[in-house]
Structures are given as structure tokens and as C-alpha cells.
Amino acid sequence: MCYNSNMKNYSSRKGFTLSEVLITIGIIGIVAAITIPTVTSKIQEFVLKNQFKKFYSTLTQAIFGIQTKNGRPVKCSYWSSNPYSGKCTATCHDEDKNDYGVCKRNWICAETGLPIPSDYTGAMSDCNEFYEELFYQTLKTTKICEDNAYQQGCLPKNFRGPDVVKIEQNPNAVSDPNGNFSDSQIKNNYPVFVLFDGAYIIKYFKILSGAPIFTVDINGFKGPNKWGHDIFSFELRGDLSRGITTLHSVNYATEEGGKTFQQMYDVCFK
């Protein structure tokens, strides 16, 4: 009878003990707990970058396409270089300010005491026509809420305006609840345009009016619905000869770890 000594060695080998298995699983769990959040964060960051790029390209193509189509510059932007700089500094008397120190009426030039010029902030005589063409004809919208956007479902349930965010960050902060881009104004008075890909654009003030200031949530209701992560603000800037030239960063609020519109642009395109 043949006898293979290796058979004895093989049969005498032992498997892993229960304690060794548990230690191994524990190590794997610790490594996973450390690495998975980082990987998840990187994936989300990558996705948000691509969504920002897509939105930026879509909007700029629409804006510049309208100017090309009409064969003339569109006058609906704040000044890239203010012609009144050094000549007229906008201010107002204390009696014309609200309880939060914000001027609500009777803006005047500090240098002359005269009312500020009608085009002090920019050239906006084409805004009504431009907004109508941009939002109702050029951009692919699936839903438009001219007001009461929150109640009508154009904003996610967990949407918070910048004034609410600032109070969350600093409970001692004082903010005008009816100020520009406040939570109340956005939810009740400002128009919101929901685009075909789910992103939505909030326009400052009424639809067919001046003030080319906007806030966008680049991925709509998907989340994280946080300022500086997927929610960014910007304004249109330009001049008389070229019309609208740039989307300029405006920062109403930035939540922890977030970026301004300009910072996100720099990450995506530079």
C-alpha cells in the first residue's frame, strides 16, 4: 500500500479560528468605515462638477445664442465696469432705511445729493423681452412657478433661504426676513423655472423685470440642497457695446465645505 506523507500534513492543517475570522472582519469594517465616506464624497464631488459644467454651458449658450440670433447686444446686465464709479456713490438718508439698515427708497448720489441715474447699476432696458425669450422659448423648462414656488412644488421641501442658513450658522445673526433672496421672498414671491434636466433657477424679483440676479440648484430636488454645494448664485454682467458678457459670482450663503459660484467655476474650468 502506497502512503503519501503529504496527505498526513494536509489533513493535519487547521482552518481559521473564530477569533481570527472576527478580527479580520473587524479590520475590514474599520477600513471600510474610513474609506467609504471619502470615496462617496469624491464621487458626489465629481458628479456635482459635471452638473455645474452642464448648467453653465446650457445657460451661456442660451444667453449668447439669443444675442447672436437678434444680431445685437442685449441690454440686461449689471455694469462690468461701472461708469459712475467715483462720480456717484449710492446712499440714502436714515429715514429711508428699514429697521435692518437697508435703504428701501430714495437712493441718492452721496457726492451731489441728487437721485441716482436710472441706469446706475447697469443697462436693463431689454430685460423684459430677454427674460421672456430666455425662459419661455429658449431654455427647456418643464414647470414655471411665477410666485408661491414652494407651495406649488417648484422648490424641494427642505429648501432653506440664505437668511435661514446664516442664522443656523450663527444664532446671533440678524437678517431681514423680507430682504433680497430671503427664505420668505424666494418661497412666496420669486419666480422659479424648473429645467428639463431637473435643475431649477430662481430669479430675483418678478419674471419680467430688471435685476438680472439668479440662484440655481444644479441638480434640483436630488440633494444635498445646500448652498455652495449644489446651490449657487450669480448675476449677469456686461456693457453697452457687447451686451451680456459674463456670469458673475454672488454669494448669499455658503454652507460648510461649500464653494461660491466663482470658486466652483474655477474648479470646473481652470
PDB file of all heavy atoms in Angstrom, residues 66-96:
ATOM      1  N   ILE A  66     -29.125  83.965 -27.916  1.00  0.00           N
ATOM      2  CA  ILE A  66     -30.162  84.977 -28.096  1.00  0.00           C
ATOM      3  C   ILE A  66     -29.558  86.251 -28.662  1.00  0.00           C
ATOM      4  O   ILE A  66     -30.121  86.880 -29.572  1.00  0.00           O
ATOM      5  CB  ILE A  66     -30.875  85.256 -26.754  1.00  0.00           C
ATOM      6  CG1 ILE A  66     -31.734  84.053 -26.356  1.00  0.00           C
ATOM      7  CG2 ILE A  66     -31.753  86.513 -26.850  1.00  0.00           C
ATOM      8  CD1 ILE A  66     -32.339  84.163 -24.972  1.00  0.00           C
ATOM      9  N   GLN A  67     -28.402  86.647 -28.155  1.00  0.00           N
ATOM     10  CA  GLN A  67     -27.753  87.861 -28.660  1.00  0.00           C
ATOM     11  C   GLN A  67     -27.348  87.695 -30.118  1.00  0.00           C
ATOM     12  O   GLN A  67     -27.509  88.608 -30.931  1.00  0.00           O
ATOM     13  CB  GLN A  67     -26.529  88.210 -27.797  1.00  0.00           C
ATOM     14  CG  GLN A  67     -26.900  88.629 -26.394  1.00  0.00           C
ATOM     15  CD  GLN A  67     -25.745  89.245 -25.618  1.00  0.00           C
ATOM     16  OE1 GLN A  67     -25.869  90.337 -25.089  1.00  0.00           O
ATOM     17  NE2 GLN A  67     -24.628  88.541 -25.549  1.00  0.00           N
ATOM     18  N   THR A  68     -26.828  86.513 -30.465  1.00  0.00           N
ATOM     19  CA  THR A  68     -26.435  86.243 -31.847  1.00  0.00           C
ATOM     20  C   THR A  68     -27.652  86.219 -32.759  1.00  0.00           C
ATOM     21  O   THR A  68     -27.646  86.795 -33.863  1.00  0.00           O
ATOM     22  CB  THR A  68     -25.688  84.898 -31.937  1.00  0.00           C
ATOM     23  OG1 THR A  68     -24.529  84.935 -31.115  1.00  0.00           O
ATOM     24  CG2 THR A  68     -25.284  84.617 -33.376  1.00  0.00           C
ATOM     25  N   LYS A  69     -28.703  85.570 -32.297  1.00  0.00           N
ATOM     26  CA  LYS A  69     -29.933  85.473 -33.084  1.00  0.00           C
ATOM     27  C   LYS A  69     -30.528  86.845 -33.364  1.00  0.00           C
ATOM     28  O   LYS A  69     -30.981  87.126 -34.489  1.00  0.00           O
ATOM     29  CB  LYS A  69     -30.946  84.613 -32.332  1.00  0.00           C
ATOM     30  CG  LYS A  69     -32.329  84.534 -32.974  1.00  0.00           C
ATOM     31  CD  LYS A  69     -33.278  83.764 -32.077  1.00  0.00           C
ATOM     32  CE  LYS A  69     -34.703  83.806 -32.609  1.00  0.00           C
ATOM     33  NZ  LYS A  69     -35.658  83.128 -31.692  1.00  0.00           N
ATOM     34  N   ASN A  70     -30.531  87.695 -32.354  1.00  0.00           N
ATOM     35  CA  ASN A  70     -31.112  89.033 -32.520  1.00  0.00           C
ATOM     36  C   ASN A  70     -30.178  90.001 -33.224  1.00  0.00           C
ATOM     37  O   ASN A  70     -30.594  91.093 -33.618  1.00  0.00           O
ATOM     38  CB  ASN A  70     -31.510  89.594 -31.149  1.00  0.00           C
ATOM     39  CG  ASN A  70     -32.651  88.809 -30.514  1.00  0.00           C
ATOM     40  OD1 ASN A  70     -33.405  88.126 -31.205  1.00  0.00           O
ATOM     41  ND2 ASN A  70     -32.767  88.885 -29.203  1.00  0.00           N
ATOM     42  N   GLY A  71     -28.924  89.610 -33.350  1.00  0.00           N
ATOM     43  CA  GLY A  71     -27.972  90.433 -34.081  1.00  0.00           C
ATOM     44  C   GLY A  71     -27.597  91.733 -33.385  1.00  0.00           C
ATOM     45  O   GLY A  71     -27.165  92.689 -34.034  1.00  0.00           O
ATOM     46  N   ARG A  72     -27.741  91.751 -32.059  1.00  0.00           N
ATOM     47  CA  ARG A  72     -27.385  92.966 -31.311  1.00  0.00           C
ATOM     48  C   ARG A  72     -27.155  92.607 -29.855  1.00  0.00           C
ATOM     49  O   ARG A  72     -27.639  91.580 -29.371  1.00  0.00           O
ATOM     50  CB  ARG A  72     -28.508  94.001 -31.404  1.00  0.00           C
ATOM     51  CG  ARG A  72     -29.831  93.546 -30.811  1.00  0.00           C
ATOM     52  CD  ARG A  72     -30.904  94.612 -30.872  1.00  0.00           C
ATOM     53  NE  ARG A  72     -32.176  94.146 -30.353  1.00  0.00           N
ATOM     54  CZ  ARG A  72     -32.508  94.114 -29.074  1.00  0.00           C
ATOM     55  NH1 ARG A  72     -31.631  94.527 -28.166  1.00  0.00           N
ATOM     56  NH2 ARG A  72     -33.694  93.678 -28.680  1.00  0.00           N
ATOM     57  N   PRO A  73     -26.411  93.456 -29.139  1.00  0.00           N
ATOM     58  CA  PRO A  73     -26.206  93.196 -27.707  1.00  0.00           C
ATOM     59  C   PRO A  73     -27.524  93.317 -26.938  1.00  0.00           C
ATOM     60  O   PRO A  73     -28.357  94.161 -27.258  1.00  0.00           O
ATOM     61  CB  PRO A  73     -25.226  94.306 -27.289  1.00  0.00           C
ATOM     62  CG  PRO A  73     -24.632  94.824 -28.553  1.00  0.00           C
ATOM     63  CD  PRO A  73     -25.683  94.644 -29.603  1.00  0.00           C
ATOM     64  N   VAL A  74     -27.690  92.472 -25.959  1.00  0.00           N
ATOM     65  CA  VAL A  74     -28.868  92.539 -25.098  1.00  0.00           C
ATOM     66  C   VAL A  74     -28.542  93.406 -23.890  1.00  0.00           C
ATOM     67  O   VAL A  74     -27.561  93.167 -23.183  1.00  0.00           O
ATOM     68  CB  VAL A  74     -29.300  91.133 -24.632  1.00  0.00           C
ATOM     69  CG1 VAL A  74     -30.365  91.231 -23.544  1.00  0.00           C
ATOM     70  CG2 VAL A  74     -29.828  90.320 -25.806  1.00  0.00           C
ATOM     71  N   LYS A  75     -29.371  94.405 -23.654  1.00  0.00           N
ATOM     72  CA  LYS A  75     -29.172  95.292 -22.508  1.00  0.00           C
ATOM     73  C   LYS A  75     -29.957  94.742 -21.317  1.00  0.00           C
ATOM     74  O   LYS A  75     -31.081  95.124 -21.061  1.00  0.00           O
ATOM     75  CB  LYS A  75     -29.640  96.700 -22.849  1.00  0.00           C
ATOM     76  CG  LYS A  75     -28.857  97.357 -23.992  1.00  0.00           C
ATOM     77  CD  LYS A  75     -29.418  98.721 -24.339  1.00  0.00           C
ATOM     78  CE  LYS A  75     -28.672  99.332 -25.506  1.00  0.00           C
ATOM     79  NZ  LYS A  75     -29.252 100.650 -25.910  1.00  0.00           N
ATOM     80  N   CYS A  76     -29.326  93.825 -20.641  1.00  0.00           N
ATOM     81  CA  CYS A  76     -29.927  93.263 -19.427  1.00  0.00           C
ATOM     82  C   CYS A  76     -28.822  92.723 -18.538  1.00  0.00           C
ATOM     83  O   CYS A  76     -28.662  91.508 -18.376  1.00  0.00           O
ATOM     84  CB  CYS A  76     -30.924  92.156 -19.770  1.00  0.00           C
ATOM     85  SG  CYS A  76     -31.836  91.553 -18.317  1.00  0.00           S
ATOM     86  N   SER A  77     -28.023  93.617 -17.986  1.00  0.00           N
ATOM     87  CA  SER A  77     -26.908  93.198 -17.151  1.00  0.00           C
ATOM     88  C   SER A  77     -26.457  94.347 -16.264  1.00  0.00           C
ATOM     89  O   SER A  77     -26.714  95.518 -16.542  1.00  0.00           O
ATOM     90  CB  SER A  77     -25.733  92.734 -18.008  1.00  0.00           C
ATOM     91  OG  SER A  77     -25.251  93.812 -18.805  1.00  0.00           O
ATOM     92  N   TYR A  78     -25.779  93.966 -15.180  1.00  0.00           N
ATOM     93  CA  TYR A  78     -25.100  94.964 -14.367  1.00  0.00           C
ATOM     94  C   TYR A  78     -23.809  95.358 -15.094  1.00  0.00           C
ATOM     95  O   TYR A  78     -23.298  94.616 -15.928  1.00  0.00           O
ATOM     96  CB  TYR A  78     -24.789  94.396 -12.984  1.00  0.00           C
ATOM     97  CG  TYR A  78     -26.025  94.163 -12.148  1.00  0.00           C
ATOM     98  CD1 TYR A  78     -26.588  92.894 -12.030  1.00  0.00           C
ATOM     99  CD2 TYR A  78     -26.639  95.212 -11.482  1.00  0.00           C
ATOM    100  CE1 TYR A  78     -27.729  92.682 -11.270  1.00  0.00           C
ATOM    101  CE2 TYR A  78     -27.792  95.018 -10.716  1.00  0.00           C
ATOM    102  CZ  TYR A  78     -28.319  93.753 -10.626  1.00  0.00           C
ATOM    103  OH  TYR A  78     -29.458  93.551  -9.883  1.00  0.00           O
ATOM    104  N   TRP A  79     -23.304  96.530 -14.762  1.00  0.00           N
ATOM    105  CA  TRP A  79     -22.093  97.001 -15.424  1.00  0.00           C
ATOM    106  C   TRP A  79     -20.896  96.121 -15.060  1.00  0.00           C
ATOM    107  O   TRP A  79     -20.661  95.832 -13.882  1.00  0.00           O
ATOM    108  CB  TRP A  79     -21.767  98.437 -15.020  1.00  0.00           C
ATOM    109  CG  TRP A  79     -22.790  99.467 -15.383  1.00  0.00           C
ATOM    110  CD1 TRP A  79     -23.488 100.266 -14.524  1.00  0.00           C
ATOM    111  CD2 TRP A  79     -23.211  99.837 -16.706  1.00  0.00           C
ATOM    112  NE1 TRP A  79     -24.324 101.102 -15.226  1.00  0.00           N
ATOM    113  CE2 TRP A  79     -24.181 100.858 -16.571  1.00  0.00           C
ATOM    114  CE3 TRP A  79     -22.870  99.400 -17.986  1.00  0.00           C
ATOM    115  CZ2 TRP A  79     -24.806 101.453 -17.658  1.00  0.00           C
ATOM    116  CZ3 TRP A  79     -23.496  99.976 -19.082  1.00  0.00           C
ATOM    117  CH2 TRP A  79     -24.449 100.990 -18.916  1.00  0.00           C
ATOM    118  N   SER A  80     -20.129  95.730 -16.071  1.00  0.00           N
ATOM    119  CA  SER A  80     -18.842  95.088 -15.796  1.00  0.00           C
ATOM    120  C   SER A  80     -17.875  96.112 -15.220  1.00  0.00           C
ATOM    121  O   SER A  80     -17.072  95.809 -14.339  1.00  0.00           O
ATOM    122  CB  SER A  80     -18.257  94.484 -17.077  1.00  0.00           C
ATOM    123  OG  SER A  80     -19.050  93.411 -17.521  1.00  0.00           O
ATOM    124  N   SER A  81     -17.960  97.321 -15.741  1.00  0.00           N
ATOM    125  CA  SER A  81     -17.180  98.440 -15.222  1.00  0.00           C
ATOM    126  C   SER A  81     -18.127  99.622 -15.077  1.00  0.00           C
ATOM    127  O   SER A  81     -18.587 100.189 -16.083  1.00  0.00           O
ATOM    128  CB  SER A  81     -16.027  98.785 -16.179  1.00  0.00           C
ATOM    129  OG  SER A  81     -15.281  99.881 -15.712  1.00  0.00           O
ATOM    130  N   ASN A  82     -18.456  99.980 -13.853  1.00  0.00           N
ATOM    131  CA  ASN A  82     -19.484 100.992 -13.604  1.00  0.00           C
ATOM    132  C   ASN A  82     -19.026 102.385 -14.045  1.00  0.00           C
ATOM    133  O   ASN A  82     -18.031 102.909 -13.530  1.00  0.00           O
ATOM    134  CB  ASN A  82     -19.831 101.023 -12.117  1.00  0.00           C
ATOM    135  CG  ASN A  82     -21.124 101.763 -11.833  1.00  0.00           C
ATOM    136  OD1 ASN A  82     -21.438 102.758 -12.484  1.00  0.00           O
ATOM    137  ND2 ASN A  82     -21.879 101.280 -10.867  1.00  0.00           N
ATOM    138  N   PRO A  83     -19.719 102.993 -15.003  1.00  0.00           N
ATOM    139  CA  PRO A  83     -19.330 104.321 -15.487  1.00  0.00           C
ATOM    140  C   PRO A  83     -19.521 105.424 -14.453  1.00  0.00           C
ATOM    141  O   PRO A  83     -19.011 106.526 -14.617  1.00  0.00           O
ATOM    142  CB  PRO A  83     -20.241 104.527 -16.701  1.00  0.00           C
ATOM    143  CG  PRO A  83     -21.441 103.673 -16.426  1.00  0.00           C
ATOM    144  CD  PRO A  83     -20.908 102.478 -15.714  1.00  0.00           C
ATOM    145  N   TYR A  84     -20.245 105.101 -13.390  1.00  0.00           N
ATOM    146  CA  TYR A  84     -20.497 106.113 -12.362  1.00  0.00           C
ATOM    147  C   TYR A  84     -19.528 106.001 -11.182  1.00  0.00           C
ATOM    148  O   TYR A  84     -19.649 106.748 -10.210  1.00  0.00           O
ATOM    149  CB  TYR A  84     -21.932 106.000 -11.857  1.00  0.00           C
ATOM    150  CG  TYR A  84     -22.953 106.272 -12.923  1.00  0.00           C
ATOM    151  CD1 TYR A  84     -23.640 105.219 -13.543  1.00  0.00           C
ATOM    152  CD2 TYR A  84     -23.224 107.567 -13.343  1.00  0.00           C
ATOM    153  CE1 TYR A  84     -24.571 105.460 -14.536  1.00  0.00           C
ATOM    154  CE2 TYR A  84     -24.162 107.818 -14.340  1.00  0.00           C
ATOM    155  CZ  TYR A  84     -24.819 106.762 -14.930  1.00  0.00           C
ATOM    156  OH  TYR A  84     -25.743 107.010 -15.925  1.00  0.00           O
ATOM    157  N   SER A  85     -18.595 105.081 -11.280  1.00  0.00           N
ATOM    158  CA  SER A  85     -17.632 104.900 -10.204  1.00  0.00           C
ATOM    159  C   SER A  85     -16.830 106.181  -9.974  1.00  0.00           C
ATOM    160  O   SER A  85     -16.264 106.761 -10.907  1.00  0.00           O
ATOM    161  CB  SER A  85     -16.676 103.755 -10.551  1.00  0.00           C
ATOM    162  OG  SER A  85     -15.718 103.573  -9.540  1.00  0.00           O
ATOM    163  N   GLY A  86     -16.800 106.634  -8.738  1.00  0.00           N
ATOM    164  CA  GLY A  86     -16.084 107.856  -8.389  1.00  0.00           C
ATOM    165  C   GLY A  86     -16.876 109.130  -8.617  1.00  0.00           C
ATOM    166  O   GLY A  86     -16.476 110.204  -8.171  1.00  0.00           O
ATOM    167  N   LYS A  87     -18.007 108.996  -9.311  1.00  0.00           N
ATOM    168  CA  LYS A  87     -18.842 110.158  -9.611  1.00  0.00           C
ATOM    169  C   LYS A  87     -20.139 110.154  -8.798  1.00  0.00           C
ATOM    170  O   LYS A  87     -20.682 111.215  -8.493  1.00  0.00           O
ATOM    171  CB  LYS A  87     -19.188 110.189 -11.102  1.00  0.00           C
ATOM    172  CG  LYS A  87     -17.984 110.192 -12.027  1.00  0.00           C
ATOM    173  CD  LYS A  87     -18.424 110.085 -13.477  1.00  0.00           C
ATOM    174  CE  LYS A  87     -17.234 109.996 -14.413  1.00  0.00           C
ATOM    175  NZ  LYS A  87     -17.666 109.828 -15.833  1.00  0.00           N
ATOM    176  N   CYS A  88     -20.613 108.959  -8.511  1.00  0.00           N
ATOM    177  CA  CYS A  88     -21.878 108.844  -7.789  1.00  0.00           C
ATOM    178  C   CYS A  88     -21.846 107.594  -6.921  1.00  0.00           C
ATOM    179  O   CYS A  88     -21.805 106.479  -7.444  1.00  0.00           O
ATOM    180  CB  CYS A  88     -23.055 108.783  -8.762  1.00  0.00           C
ATOM    181  SG  CYS A  88     -24.660 108.531  -7.972  1.00  0.00           S
ATOM    182  N   THR A  89     -21.847 107.799  -5.622  1.00  0.00           N
ATOM    183  CA  THR A  89     -21.903 106.688  -4.676  1.00  0.00           C
ATOM    184  C   THR A  89     -23.307 106.610  -4.105  1.00  0.00           C
ATOM    185  O   THR A  89     -23.781 107.552  -3.466  1.00  0.00           O
ATOM    186  CB  THR A  89     -20.893 106.893  -3.529  1.00  0.00           C
ATOM    187  OG1 THR A  89     -19.585 107.075  -4.081  1.00  0.00           O
ATOM    188  CG2 THR A  89     -20.897 105.694  -2.605  1.00  0.00           C
ATOM    189  N   ALA A  90     -23.995 105.516  -4.387  1.00  0.00           N
ATOM    190  CA  ALA A  90     -25.398 105.384  -3.969  1.00  0.00           C
ATOM    191  C   ALA A  90     -25.518 105.314  -2.458  1.00  0.00           C
ATOM    192  O   ALA A  90     -24.818 104.550  -1.792  1.00  0.00           O
ATOM    193  CB  ALA A  90     -26.014 104.146  -4.605  1.00  0.00           C
ATOM    194  N   THR A  91     -26.421 106.104  -1.922  1.00  0.00           N
ATOM    195  CA  THR A  91     -26.694 106.095  -0.484  1.00  0.00           C
ATOM    196  C   THR A  91     -28.114 106.583  -0.267  1.00  0.00           C
ATOM    197  O   THR A  91     -28.824 106.899  -1.230  1.00  0.00           O
ATOM    198  CB  THR A  91     -25.693 106.996   0.271  1.00  0.00           C
ATOM    199  OG1 THR A  91     -25.901 106.846   1.688  1.00  0.00           O
ATOM    200  CG2 THR A  91     -25.881 108.454  -0.101  1.00  0.00           C
ATOM    201  N   CYS A  92     -28.546 106.651   0.965  1.00  0.00           N
ATOM    202  CA  CYS A  92     -29.857 107.224   1.265  1.00  0.00           C
ATOM    203  C   CYS A  92     -29.876 107.682   2.716  1.00  0.00           C
ATOM    204  O   CYS A  92     -29.033 107.272   3.536  1.00  0.00           O
ATOM    205  CB  CYS A  92     -30.990 106.243   0.980  1.00  0.00           C
ATOM    206  SG  CYS A  92     -31.041 104.798   2.049  1.00  0.00           S
ATOM    207  N   HIS A  93     -30.814 108.520   3.034  1.00  0.00           N
ATOM    208  CA  HIS A  93     -30.923 109.055   4.387  1.00  0.00           C
ATOM    209  C   HIS A  93     -31.452 107.972   5.331  1.00  0.00           C
ATOM    210  O   HIS A  93     -32.116 107.014   4.907  1.00  0.00           O
ATOM    211  CB  HIS A  93     -31.867 110.263   4.395  1.00  0.00           C
ATOM    212  CG  HIS A  93     -31.379 111.403   3.547  1.00  0.00           C
ATOM    213  ND1 HIS A  93     -30.215 112.065   3.795  1.00  0.00           N
ATOM    214  CD2 HIS A  93     -31.930 111.986   2.436  1.00  0.00           C
ATOM    215  CE1 HIS A  93     -30.038 113.026   2.892  1.00  0.00           C
ATOM    216  NE2 HIS A  93     -31.066 112.998   2.055  1.00  0.00           N
ATOM    217  N   ASP A  94     -31.169 108.143   6.602  1.00  0.00           N
ATOM    218  CA  ASP A  94     -31.581 107.155   7.603  1.00  0.00           C
ATOM    219  C   ASP A  94     -33.090 106.921   7.604  1.00  0.00           C
ATOM    220  O   ASP A  94     -33.550 105.795   7.818  1.00  0.00           O
ATOM    221  CB  ASP A  94     -31.129 107.601   8.995  1.00  0.00           C
ATOM    222  CG  ASP A  94     -29.618 107.516   9.166  1.00  0.00           C
ATOM    223  OD1 ASP A  94     -28.985 106.798   8.377  1.00  0.00           O
ATOM    224  OD2 ASP A  94     -29.092 108.165  10.087  1.00  0.00           O
ATOM    225  N   GLU A  95     -33.856 107.985   7.353  1.00  0.00           N
ATOM    226  CA  GLU A  95     -35.310 107.834   7.382  1.00  0.00           C
ATOM    227  C   GLU A  95     -35.832 106.988   6.213  1.00  0.00           C
ATOM    228  O   GLU A  95     -36.995 106.560   6.207  1.00  0.00           O
ATOM    229  CB  GLU A  95     -36.003 109.199   7.372  1.00  0.00           C
ATOM    230  CG  GLU A  95     -35.669 110.069   6.177  1.00  0.00           C
ATOM    231  CD  GLU A  95     -34.514 111.021   6.444  1.00  0.00           C
ATOM    232  OE1 GLU A  95     -33.674 110.706   7.311  1.00  0.00           O
ATOM    233  OE2 GLU A  95     -34.459 112.069   5.774  1.00  0.00           O
ATOM    234  N   ASP A  96     -34.968 106.755   5.214  1.00  0.00           N
ATOM    235  CA  ASP A  96     -35.368 105.943   4.076  1.00  0.00           C
ATOM    236  C   ASP A  96     -34.893 104.497   4.192  1.00  0.00           C
ATOM    237  O   ASP A  96     -35.033 103.712   3.256  1.00  0.00           O
ATOM    238  CB  ASP A  96     -34.821 106.550   2.774  1.00  0.00           C
ATOM    239  CG  ASP A  96     -35.429 107.904   2.469  1.00  0.00           C
ATOM    240  OD1 ASP A  96     -36.640 108.061   2.697  1.00  0.00           O
ATOM    241  OD2 ASP A  96     -34.704 108.804   2.012  1.00  0.00           O
TER     242      ASP A  96
END
